[in-house]
Amino acid sequence: MKKTLLAAALLSCTMAAQAADTNSPPSLSTVIVTATRTSITTDEALSSVTVITRADIERLQPASVHDLLVGLPGMTFTQTGGLGQQSSLFLRGSNSTHVLVLIDGVRIGAVGAGLPAFEQIPVDQIERIEIVRGPRSSLYGADAIGGVIQIFTRHGQQDGKLTPSLSVSAGSHSYTDGHAGLSGGDSHAWFNVGLGGQYTSGIPACRAGAAEAGAGCFVDQPGDDAFRNWNGMANGGYRWDNGTELSATWLRSKSFVEYAGSPFSGNQAVNQQIVSGARLSFTPLDAWKVTLNAGQSRDDSSTYFQGVYNDIFAGTQTYYPRTPSGYADSRRNQASWQNDITLDTNQLLTAGVDYQQEYINSDTGYLNSRREDTGVYAQYMGTFGRNEVQASARHDHNDQFGNHNTGALAWGYSFDHDLRLSASYGTAFHAPTFNDIYYPYGLGNPNLKPEKSRSGELGLSQKQEAWNWAVNVYQTKIDDLIALDSNFVPQNISQARIRGVEGQLGANLDGWQVQSYLTLQQPKSTASSYDGNLLPRRPEQTARVDVDRRFDAFGIGATFFASGKAYDDLANQHRLGGYSTTDLRASYAFLPNWRIEAKLANVFDRNYETVYYFNQPGRTWFLTLRYNPSTR
């Protein structure tokens, strides 16, 4: 594994040396909004950012959001089985609840456990993804310790034409996928609608022998675990001549998934995620822009058990018809008022108010099922010659955990030849979830305090016509980490220190598009009981290289990914071995706007686990027919 990671790093250095002699047209800087809640280019961001476009999605041919994000700088994904099983993301070594996820500006994630359901987000409905690493609580409030990920749904074209799109796919394990969409618009209005579905017969989520080993799913149900999803999306907007803009978005994803379980936890789940929002922006004065947002996210889940249950302790075998085993429905109502005020040339002041209501309804009987949060924030951004400064502060009041203040300060300096140095420091926090406080049946701890973090970062980057690179070094200290005590009651009893280095290198080598990423980190506990141990499911090294090339109507590509070892538990007793995978892909545009795509994932059929005793897919293939006038 060390040799594989070293090879990836050497390949990156080799690409930089070769790319310096190539001649490619310069690319325009990408505009993002997530880093500062205002429109800036990636070159202006004083933070580590990654942008995934629709063109990237179609080039990489992912079956899930997991396929898109795994291996990007600072990102570790785990999954309890194959497609559709529960996914967790650890950003920059922080906990899976320490990343804030937005869809079209609306915060998502079940309020009970605090986890966003990445496995329920349909890739076919995504236009782009913006990933901002590092603390962002001073702009967004709770949960943005590791960073913020914002997913934007597909957007209508404003070229005066109706544009249909269509894709159908087939693959291993009875995989089928389909999507149909229609978009259009003119200089003022735009819209996009889409419907999609996905199915796979799946693989056994849990490894055989889990019951005897007392690990993983703790039961013996070796059959394939199927997954199917239905999804729909609609968005649109109108822009008046004076710049006033009104837009709305709606996304619904409903899934059925099987998993290894028991009559108590179920072995089937019906999950639903609904996101809706509206946005109005206008300029009362030339130097003053007002943006009003309102939205709601829903996460509903019902579990059932059906089949034979083997009780290895009692030595009995019982068949159960489809029987309900639990439910949890959560809802977030959100609203915000943001003001962007231009103070002078290259100086912007942003100030606003966020309001959020959280509700949960569950069979487990929470003592309190509702809470509210109000946040007030301000941010200053200024450029003075080669220096750029950003400062932000926020105050949150929550009727459960009280008041909390966060802040951030960043500085950047531009040298000649587009070489850029940046430094930043920020604080962030994570609010205890409903499960931490009340679950189950009042056995939580209502006296829990928010988890608090302090992060420092130093970055160096350069963007040239044919190549670009970036290196970021960071440290995060987290206090009052929530963990279970000896009586299995949540307490603020743990601490962690995370150090890391992230590297990115992209190049265009005589028509070959190459992008590589390397993450080296030390996500360690500093609590007295586990001082020096690695935090669970977070490897110290990951590397990824994407290579693609077009030959007129043909396209070929490959993705190489490698991960070092990790541990499934804080005691570091259950080792998850390091592994590497290779994916190959190809496409052929046989007619204008028509393309056939093929992908072979995990070519060498590597056997690995990201969660102890849970299987991952072996070698799989996918074949897609796509009609899309907006891409070749």
Side-chain angles (χ1 to χ4, degrees):
M1 181 53 55
K2 292 181 179 179
K3 293 180 180 178
T4 303
L5 292 167
L6 179 60
L10 293 175
L11 176 60
S12 299
C13 297
T14 303
M15 290 188 299
Q18 293 177 340
D21 296 327
T22 61
N23 294 313
S24 300
S27 59
L28 297 176
S29 295
T30 303
V31 175
I32 60 173
V33 297
T34 309
T36 60
R37 297 184 67 154
T38 61
S39 296
I40 62 172
T41 67
T42 52
D43 294 339
E44 296 171 325
L46 296 181
S47 52
S48 177
V49 300
T50 300
V51 179
I52 301 172
T53 66
R54 185 66 212 174
D56 294 328
I57 294 173
E58 295 188 3
R59 172 176 55 85
L60 295 170
Q61 303 180 33
S64 64
V65 173
H66 167 277
D67 293 345
L68 271 179
L69 302 185
V70 66
L72 294 181
M75 306 189 79
T76 299
F77 247 106
T78 64
Q79 195 159 18
T80 56
L83 186 65
Q85 302 296 324
Q86 185 182 55
S87 297
S88 296
L89 170 64
F90 302 92
L91 184 54
R92 282 196 167 178
S94 61
N95 286 348
S96 55
T97 54
H98 292 169
V99 56
L100 173 61
V101 181
L102 309 170
I103 294 182
D104 291 333
V106 179
R107 180 189 293 244
I108 68 167
V111 302
L115 294 172
F118 288 101
E119 66 278 1
Q120 293 185 49
I121 302 174
V123 176
D124 285 333
Q125 307 290 11
I126 297 175
E127 180 70 26
R128 60 189 273 115
I129 302 176
E130 295 179 3
I131 303 162
V132 182
R133 286 171 284 272
R136 282 296 177 274
S137 283
S138 59
L139 289 178
Y140 292 98
D143 308 336
I145 292 178
V148 179
I149 298 174
Q150 182 156 201
I151 298 171
F152 297 90
T153 55
R154 298 180 75 165
H155 196 280
Q157 302 296 318
Q158 295 180 258
D159 55 6
K161 300 177 181 178
L162 286 176
T163 304
S165 61
L166 174 71
S167 67
V168 290
S169 303
S172 302
H173 308 294
S174 304
Y175 176 85
T176 55
D177 184 282
H179 171 264
L182 181 67
S183 65
D186 54 26
S187 59
H188 290 287
W190 66 91
F191 78 93
N192 191 91
V193 294
L195 292 172
Q198 190 177 56
Y199 170 79
T200 178
S201 60
I203 62 172
C206 199
R207 179 153 54 101
E212 292 79 3
C217 57
F218 297 96
V219 298
D220 182 19
Q221 290 191 329
D224 290 342
D225 292 305
F227 168 74
R228 59 177 176 265
N229 173 272
W230 308 265
N231 56 81
M233 179 272 296
N235 63 38
Y238 189 88
R239 183 182 299 109
W240 284 266
D241 291 333
N242 64 0
T244 299
E245 183 177 305
L246 177 66
S247 61
T249 184
W250 176 83
L251 172 68
R252 182 189 183 195
S253 176
K254 186 174 183 179
S255 302
F256 169 83
V257 61
E258 298 175 340
Y259 56 95
S262 70
F264 312 101
S265 62
N267 63 357
Q268 300 175 358
V270 177
N271 303 312
Q272 178 175 247
Q273 182 168 257
I274 301 176
V275 181
S276 56
R279 177 180 179 270
L280 173 66
S281 64
F282 57 95
T283 53
L285 300 173
D286 290 342
W288 179 21
K289 179 182 178 181
V290 176
T291 303
L292 302 173
N293 287 281
Q296 182 186 83
S297 64
R298 288 179 50 188
D299 286 84
D300 302 334
S301 178
S302 298
T303 57
Y304 306 85
F305 186 84
Q306 183 177 16
V308 176
Y309 176 64
N310 296 312
D311 190 330
I312 62 171
F313 301 102
T316 60
Q317 187 178 78
T318 308
Y319 175 79
Y320 289 82
R322 194 168 192 258
T323 305
S325 58
Y327 69 93
D329 301 335
S330 67
R331 183 170 77 254
R332 279 192 175 96
N333 296 324
Q334 306 163 53
S336 69
W337 171 36
Q338 180 169 315
N339 302 270
D340 300 316
I341 302 171
T342 302
L343 302 176
D344 200 349
T345 303
N346 296 325
Q347 294 190 59
L348 181 68
L349 175 65
T350 299
V353 180
D354 293 331
Y355 176 72
Q356 177 179 260
Q357 296 175 328
E358 295 180 330
Y359 301 88
I360 189 166
N361 181 29
S362 171
D363 66 295
T364 58
Y366 291 87
L367 294 181
N368 189 0
S369 60
R370 170 179 171 171
R371 68 183 181 188
E372 300 179 359
D373 182 276
T374 302
V376 181
Y377 64 92
Q379 175 184 241
Y380 169 80
M381 297 190 297
T383 302
F384 306 91
R386 296 192 175 198
N387 293 277
E388 185 177 351
V389 177
Q390 296 177 5
S392 56
R394 182 178 173 111
H395 173 79
D396 280 275
H397 174 75
N398 187 286
D399 58 10
Q400 166 60 41
F401 59 80
N403 300 315
H404 205 86
N405 299 316
T406 52
L409 180 64
W411 165 80
Y413 186 85
S414 298
F415 297 91
D416 293 334
H417 308 294
D418 296 319
L419 183 65
R420 196 157 184 251
L421 175 68
S422 63
S424 63
Y425 177 84
T427 61
F429 74 103
H430 165 66
T433 67
F434 275 86
N435 284 7
D436 293 330
I437 301 170
Y438 303 116
Y439 179 85
Y441 302 104
L443 297 181
N445 183 357
N447 298 317
L448 287 173
K449 297 180 293 183
E451 300 169 302
K452 301 180 291 291
S453 74
R454 308 179 305 280
S455 300
E457 182 174 351
L458 189 65
L460 190 63
S461 63
Q462 189 175 34
K463 185 176 182 180
Q464 297 291 294
E465 293 184 356
W467 53 275
N468 62 86
W469 61 270
V471 176
N472 293 80
V473 181
Y474 63 90
Q475 176 175 283
T476 298
K477 291 185 177 181
I478 306 176
D479 296 324
D480 292 325
L481 272 175
I482 297 172
L484 299 179
D485 63 13
S486 58
N487 295 315
F488 298 99
V489 176
Q491 302 284 355
N492 294 109
I493 58 176
S494 189
Q495 298 86 36
R497 184 194 66 206
I498 305 164
R499 293 172 174 168
V501 180
E502 299 165 354
Q504 305 183 56
L505 176 61
N508 190 325
L509 310 176
D510 194 25
W512 289 91
Q513 180 181 351
V514 184
Q515 187 68 46
S516 59
Y517 313 96
L518 179 66
T519 300
L520 306 174
Q521 63 179 0
Q522 292 181 337
K524 293 187 175 182
S525 169
T526 56
S528 57
S529 301
Y530 302 105
D531 188 19
N533 286 12
L534 289 178
L535 298 176
R537 302 176 184 175
R538 277 152 273 197
E540 294 182 282
Q541 313 95 4
T542 61
R544 169 174 159 177
V545 179
D546 297 330
V547 181
D548 291 273
R549 173 69 188 267
R550 290 210 63 85
F551 300 91
D552 195 18
F554 290 92
I556 58 173
T559 292
F560 309 95
F561 173 71
S563 172
K565 74 176 187 306
Y567 293 94
D568 194 69
D569 60 323
L570 190 54
N572 288 184
Q573 297 296 312
H574 302 305
R575 187 178 187 272
L576 302 168
Y579 66 95
S580 61
T581 60
T582 301
D583 297 346
L584 300 178
R585 53 185 172 269
S587 65
Y588 173 52
F590 60 94
L591 285 173
N593 305 323
W594 286 92
R595 188 167 70 246
I596 189 167
E597 303 168 349
K599 180 179 179 180
L600 187 62
N602 194 0
V603 173
F604 301 107
D605 201 23
R606 301 299 190 192
N607 184 24
Y608 64 97
E609 295 177 355
T610 59
V611 181
Y612 195 51
Y613 260 85
F614 283 93
N615 295 314
Q616 292 296 304
R619 185 188 299 114
T620 52
W621 62 269
F622 304 91
L623 189 65
T624 300
L625 175 65
R626 187 181 304 277
Y627 173 76
N628 192 345
S630 63
T631 60
R632 184 176 180 179

